[in-house]
Amino acid sequence: MKIAILSRNASLYSTSRLVEAGRKRGHRVRVLDPLRCYMRISHQGFEMHYKGRALSGFDAVIPRIGSSITFYGTAVLRQFEMMGVYTPNSSDAVLRARDKLRSLQLLAREGIDLPRTVFGDYPDDTADLLRMLGEPPHVIKLNEGAQGQGVLLAEKRSASQGMIEAFRGLYANFVVQEFIAEAGGGDLRCFVIGNQVAAAMHRQAPEGDFRANLHRGGKASAVELSTQEINIALRAARTMGLGIAGVDLLRSQRGPLVLEVNASPGLEGIESATGVDVAGAIIASVEEGAARRA
């Protein structure tokens, strides 16, 4: 098979592992910077060029699109889809997962439990918005933040109002959620590939923080999931339409809660913590998906 990996940096751990795993299984693998891809769209067909040459003959494309280039990156991915190339994560699925508010609405519609969330725009409605949510602490999140950036904890109602006013002053889109204290600053990253959770880890926030992201100093260890946690992770990925997903769960008094569904989950933390060849599992899944399409 000929596989394209959309990534801005071929030396990133996740990208290089996918290249290694693909070539180990006998495939031709090429890393393409999505910002260097450009396209022609017409009723006569779809065409893509890269650094002056036409791109053709690809059987599959694996998107590793960062949040800063979501718009252009998904346009490139969509062009590959229009050209008949298989992808485990469609452009529409990536866009759904990138929008935190939309993701939460879709998950809730499917009956998947998550931290209570409120969203509003008009300043005069802030007090009632917070009453709808309940007593603090509250977690305030930028709608398109990543790796723990743009996530703040407000321990008092006055702090919540102040942070909300500050975000509105920056014309930022954000949501406000209940704080799940019993999670103890930890969460679960469930790495979904196809119809299974290929690996899972527990992430623990550093002392004094509540964000368990590894990029912010969190510690990771392998974890065994309950049947309920596995089923919820699979349902969440399926709801987003993602064949490859990092589903983040919180263990709460009322059961597992979906915190977020990531369309481009990193491989380094999960492979290091669990010893699972996640990159190899991704390539195997892509092989199966492309074969079904053939």
Side-chain angles (χ1 to χ4, degrees), residues 200-213:
M201 63 180 172
H202 176 266
R203 302 184 298 188
Q204 184 62 45
E207 188 174 351
D209 202 344
F210 70 101
R211 295 165 296 183
N213 305 76

Side-chain angles (χ1 to χ4, degrees), residues 15-34:
T15 303
S16 62
R17 281 288 292 122
L18 289 169
V19 171
E20 177 188 10
R23 289 175 178 168
K24 186 176 180 180
R25 296 177 70 93
H27 304 299
R28 288 179 294 161
V29 184
R30 186 176 178 187
V31 177
L32 302 174
D33 179 350

Side-chain angles (χ1 to χ4, degrees), residues 100-101 103-105 107 113-119 129-130 132-143 150-155 160 164 174-181 210 248 250 254 257-261:
K100 285 186 174 65
L101 177 61
S103 296
L104 295 172
Q105 289 173 319
L107 292 167
D113 204 358
L114 41 87
R116 286 190 298 274
T117 303
V118 296
F119 172 77
L129 186 76
L130 293 177
M132 290 169 65
L133 180 59
E135 292 302 310
H138 300 143
V139 178
I140 302 171
K141 294 182 179 180
L142 285 175
N143 197 38
V151 181
L152 302 172
L153 179 65
E155 298 192 13
S160 297
I164 288 171
F174 59 92
V175 297
V176 189
Q177 294 184 314
E178 66 172 318
F179 176 62
I180 308 300
F210 70 101
D248 296 341
L250 293 177
R254 63 180 190 263
L257 308 178
V258 175
L259 190 61
E260 188 173 348
V261 182

